[in-house]
Amino acid sequence: AHSMALLVGDAQHAMAMEILAQSGLKGTLAPELVLFLISELEGKVLPALLTGEVDDVFQTGISLETITANEIILMLQRKTAALLTFSVVAGGMVGLGKADPLHPFIQALRSYSENLGVAFQLRDDILGIQGDEKKLGKPVGSDFKEGKRTLAVKIAYENASPAQKERIKYLLGKPDLSKDQVTELKILVEDLQGVTEVEELASSHIQQSLAALEVLPDTIYRDHLVAIADFTVSRQK
């Protein structure tokens, strides 16, 4: 399944490049804009995305004492926010008809999407702890079994007593974690304010995201972006 997913991803990437290239060749978009978008996607977004995915894997091998909250957030920015930001900014530039990274609308869209991307991933981490398995499509607690250093776990660990820290370290990443142990770890993370503090941080990012949109004209398109941000903090899957 993983091999097939990788192959499909490669095919989709090639299709995206073809769509961009054809839009320039057919005159739908200015060739300079097409070249800029391809350069951004290949030279900046893809490396950031791959680095974020690699970090996500390797962070499971870093101790909870050593890893920092900033390192976890940086991984989220690369893993999720980088691709979302490119998509939103590219749409803005296509609307403008030119590659102008310093245009106020583009800067607003960049701030909107960078904050939205982090908030989306923080919400994802919360759902991995408290979500409905049927809606999520994956077992709640799978992040615990994989030993993921989510921000909620890191915060809970920092707030824990020595005995609780030892218990979190023992349970996190245990491949044969039982249902009762998943529940125990979930309660620990909740009681030690991990979920609450992550929810507050996600909310803060959403507020920054929405504030950035105030620069844009008051249109139905801005309303759509607001609706996406609102959905991000309330989604259940």
Side-chain angles (χ1 to χ4, degrees):
H2 286 163
S3 297
M4 187 58 69
L6 288 169
L7 291 170
V8 171
D10 289 343
Q12 289 178 325
H13 185 78
M15 289 167 64
M17 291 300 98
E18 172 69 3
I19 291 168
L20 275 173
Q22 285 297 326
S23 66
L25 290 169
K26 293 177 179 177
T28 310
L29 295 179
E32 294 82 0
L33 174 55
V34 172
L35 286 172
F36 178 85
L37 293 177
I38 290 176
S39 176
E40 285 286 298
L41 186 57
E42 298 296 296
K44 293 182 181 177
V45 179
L46 196 55
L49 184 62
L50 294 174
T51 301
E53 292 288 354
V54 169
D55 283 348
D56 193 22
V57 173
F58 278 98
Q59 281 185 1
T60 60
I62 302 175
S63 70
L64 283 169
E65 292 96 345
T66 304
I67 196 167
T68 67
N70 285 339
E71 287 171 336
I72 295 171
I73 292 172
L74 180 59
M75 179 271 291
L76 300 181
Q77 289 171 336
R78 289 170 171 165
K79 180 183 172 184
T80 302
L83 187 56
L84 177 64
T85 299
F86 172 80
S87 302
V88 173
V89 168
M93 288 184 178
V94 168
L96 285 175
K98 60 181 179 179
D100 185 359
L102 299 180
H103 191 287
F105 291 174
I106 299 302
Q107 289 183 320
L109 288 170
R110 183 175 297 280
S111 178
Y112 162 81
S113 49
E114 285 176 348
N115 282 290
L116 182 63
V118 173
F120 183 93
Q121 193 61 56
L122 291 174
R123 179 64 183 160
D124 201 58
D125 291 345
I126 292 168
L127 289 173
I129 298 170
Q130 296 185 324
D132 183 320
E133 290 188 1
K134 290 181 180 177
K135 291 180 180 178
L136 282 178
K138 66 176 183 179
V140 170
S142 60
D143 286 351
F144 290 156
K145 290 184 180 180
E146 292 173 20
K148 286 195 174 183
R149 271 51 175 157
T150 63
L151 192 59
V153 170
K154 172 63 179 177
I155 289 168
Y157 184 80
E158 290 300 312
N159 292 335
S161 68
Q164 288 171 324
K165 285 182 178 179
E166 287 305 311
R167 191 61 181 162
I168 290 171
K169 284 195 292 186
Y170 171 74
L171 293 172
L172 190 65
K174 194 171 182 286
D176 58 345
L177 208 61
S178 69
K179 198 168 184 179
D180 287 345
Q181 288 174 328
V182 167
T183 300
E184 180 187 351
L185 193 45
K186 173 180 177 286
I187 291 170
L188 272 171
V189 174
E190 288 173 341
D191 288 351
L192 293 167
Q193 301 302 303
V195 170
T196 301
E197 290 190 31
V198 168
E199 283 179 336
E200 289 172 355
L201 185 60
S203 222
S204 171
H205 277 287
I206 287 295
Q207 291 310 311
Q208 293 176 67
S209 187
L210 292 172
L213 292 179
E214 293 176 8
V215 174
L216 302 178
D218 186 4
T219 66
I220 190 173
Y221 306 108
R222 190 178 79 174
D223 292 343
H224 289 331
L225 295 177
V226 170
I228 291 169
D230 289 340
F231 166 75
T232 295
V233 290
S234 62
R235 70 187 181 94
Q236 297 300 311
K237 60 182 179 179

